[in-house]
Amino acid sequence: RPRVLSGIQPTADSFHMGNYLGAVRQYVALQETHEAFYFIADLHALTVTPKPDELRRRTRIAAAQLFGAGLDPERAAVFAQSHVREHSELAWYLICQTGMGEAGRMTQFKDKSARYGENAASVGLFTYPILQAADILIYQADQVPVGVDQKQHLELSRDLAQRFNSRYGQTFKVPNPYILKEVEKIGDLQDPTAKMSKSSSSPQGILDVLEEPAALRKKVMRAVTDTGSEIVADEENKPGVTNLLRIHSAISGVAIAELEARFAGQGYGALKKEIAEIVVEAFGPIRERTEKLLADEPELDRLLAAGAARARAVARETMEQVRDRLGLLPTP
Ligand code: TYM
């Protein structure tokens, strides 16, 4: 079986619809066909120094949501990144293979450091994509399901794998991004040309998976639309409606062309009303399962421990080879 791996940060009290449609749903689908490894990127979350209690809480919420969304602990190894220490170790080795200029070109770092102020941004934020490369390469992953915002980081992972292999001999599999075009960038409901994001300016633009139905409905009904009244997908002139059609189609499975035909002659309100209902229907069961798991912390922690054990077995094997290739003495 080919291997699939991905990670998600515990930086909010809920995943949002972008995380869910752009990534988590693919995690669930791919566990059927791949040997699957999915982790909560708590080490990546440390780059912005969260409060310790908040990080602990959010890491458990993230884990519970992954199971709530349909990951099966029998099929997928779901774990906390920090529980497999080899991630940090490989990150250091890869940091030593990365050029300053290469790391400096990462656009997500540039965006984030601009937000914090260049001198306030941590060195961790700068080396973030290299830790991400370590996450991926350590499992010899074939496919990495992500949204399009991670594409550049995936490119770096591929470059680092190839560079290491050519310097030290074949060691890492070169990973492929797994990006579904239709959901690669879910837009903010209030600012549809921007991606839906945890750091977005207004909560009105974000649909959280764990949100109450009433709040979800309200936000969908208030989503910005475009001039005119026709319901057609047109990225250039109708980014709001296009985003809504994409969301509908992704959840309902109905093709966008078919939705356009079905809603012909109707107003934006009709489309939004239907979306509100299918979103509530899709998120409700996830929320219920998530809450149930969160109420049983020992069980949740047991599941994470089992996931980490499976992940560690693979990570250890890669790392023994890596250390040897680099010329480090065998660990006594
Ligand atoms: P993170 O936690 O920001 O997001 C988790 C996943 O959700 C996707 N995503 C979106 N997809 C479509 N539309 C959106 N609006 C949207 N917003 C977020 C992201 O692309 C991502 O797939 N660096 C990663 C975490 C990470 C990782 C890894 C991923 C750490 N190590 C190794 C893959 C492999 C991140 O911050 O994702």
Side-chain angles (χ1 to χ4, degrees), residues 316-328:
R316 280 207 178 125
E317 210 178 303
T318 302
M319 290 312 289
E320 266 173 39
Q321 204 181 17
V322 169
R323 294 182 200 112
D324 180 58
R325 291 270 150 88
L326 286 168
L328 300 169

Side-chain angles (χ1 to χ4, degrees), residues 5-11 16 18-23 27 39 41 44 81 108 112 128 131-132 135-136 144-150 153-154 183-187 195-198:
L5 165 126
S6 200
I8 188 160
Q9 291 200 75
T11 41
H16 56 67
N19 300 137
Y20 178 67
L21 293 180
Y27 304 173
F39 62 91
H44 279 105
Q81 184 187 25
Q108 207 163 65
K112 284 193 188 171
Y128 177 118
L131 174 59
Q132 183 165 348
D135 299 335
I136 298 169
V144 184
V146 286
V148 76
D149 61 338
Q150 298 300 315
H153 292 167
L154 262 291
V183 287
E184 65 175 21
K185 183 186 157 196
I186 300 297
K195 70 166 179 180
M196 192 180 282
S197 152
K198 295 166 221 195

Side-chain angles (χ1 to χ4, degrees), residues 66-89:
L66 289 178
F67 293 119
L71 286 182
D72 171 2
E74 297 292 318
R75 275 180 287 184
V78 177
F79 59 100
Q81 184 187 25
S82 63
H83 287 172
V84 185
R85 310 275 198 257
E86 285 83 353
H87 288 241
S88 308
E89 184 188 353

